[in-house]
Amino acid sequence: MKSTIRKSTYQAIYRLLDRVSPIESDCGKLCGAACCTCGGDSDDDDFKLGIYLLPGEEKLFTQQENWLKWSEELAEDFDFPDSWFGKIYFIRCKTPPLCPRKHRPLQCRFFPLAPHLKKGRLHLILSTVPLPYSCPLIEQEIVLSHSFIQATYTVWTHLIEDPLIYDLVRMDSEDREADGVPIKILR
Ligand code: SF4
Ligand code: SF4
């Protein structure tokens, strides 16, 4: 899929998010890194539990990384916006929770925050995606670091300038509103 976000922009986004984390300490110690280890090392090729890359994010990878298993899929086969068609990339980690931290994808960096559009305005909420594990940051509503929220918000303001990513955020937001999913707005 054609992304309007340049490789250098994605690199800058990675650098910005390298400097922040959801809480001061390693939240993986609260849960045994549940979001990394919930099947990522399984031989099962159910890529629904894999991590999808945002359009163009694959430019930051060689696809030869020995810590990743790659899958190319068609966007139209998954629950993505109608404007998404053609190749998308899913990855699964071979050695979770260990990975080269500087290279972890955006989905890992944002969690447990998610973008939400309400009346045309961008917000950050706690992720509402049904999970096969429990995230203490969500369940216990642990206060997230201001720098993490601020950096993630800044990144999303840039990401939604891309029409495809905007469509994704809008679709997810409309789905939440239509389904009456309770949301907790953090920004
Ligand atoms: S984001 Fe949640 S599930 Fe993932 S390591 Fe931190 S506390 Fe655990
Ligand atoms: S890339 Fe790293 S942070 Fe993300 S799921 Fe894999 S092991 Fe966890």
Side-chain angles (χ1 to χ4, degrees), residues 1 20 37 50 55-58 61 66 68-69 71 77-78 84 95 117 130-131 134 142 145 147 156 162 168:
M1 286 189 302
V20 296
T37 55
E57 191 183 358
E58 71 277 2
F61 296 84
N66 59 10
L68 289 176
K69 188 155 76 172
S71 171
D77 292 340
F78 291 82
W84 285 42
T95 57
L117 287 166
L131 300 169
S134 169
I142 293 173
S145 95
S147 58
W156 274 111
D162 178 88
L168 178 68

Side-chain angles (χ1 to χ4, degrees), residues 170-182:
R170 188 180 60 179
M171 183 189 84
D172 287 343
S173 305
E174 289 175 353
D175 285 351
R176 283 185 205 103
E177 303 277 345
D179 295 344
V181 175

Side-chain angles (χ1 to χ4, degrees), residues 8-127:
S8 58
T9 303
Y10 270 126
Q11 287 171 324
I13 286 172
Y14 270 36
R15 281 196 302 273
L16 175 61
L17 295 175
D18 275 342
R19 298 203 291 267
V20 296
S21 54
I23 57 175
E24 291 298 317
S25 55
D26 177 5
C27 63
K29 296 206 168 108
L30 301 175
C31 60
C35 56
C36 295
T37 55
C38 66
D41 57 350
S42 160
D43 287 335
D44 178 357
D45 269 345
D46 179 2
F47 279 95
K48 285 176 187 162
L49 275 181
I51 301 158
Y52 67 88
L53 300 182
L54 290 178
E57 191 183 358
E58 71 277 2
K59 293 173 202 160
L60 298 190
F61 296 84
T62 64
Q63 299 196 30
Q64 304 300 316
E65 292 82 4
N66 59 10
W67 54 286
L68 289 176
K69 188 155 76 172
W70 286 80
S71 171
E72 292 180 8
E73 304 287 345
L74 292 175
E76 46 271 44
D77 292 340
F78 291 82
D79 189 20
F80 288 112
D82 291 344
S83 57
W84 285 42
F85 58 89
K87 215 183 279 181
I88 48 168
Y89 298 88
F90 284 82
I91 58 172
R92 300 184 85 174
C93 310
K94 292 182 180 171
T95 57
L98 302 177
C99 68
R101 189 173 163 79
K102 281 189 177 310
H103 297 289
R104 70 200 195 287
L106 284 175
Q107 302 289 355
C108 302
R109 296 164 188 259
F110 297 142
F111 193 76
L113 294 176
H116 184 82
L117 287 166
K118 196 173 180 69
K119 295 183 178 153
R121 188 161 167 227
L122 176 68
H123 295 278
L124 286 180
I125 62 170
L126 284 179
S127 174

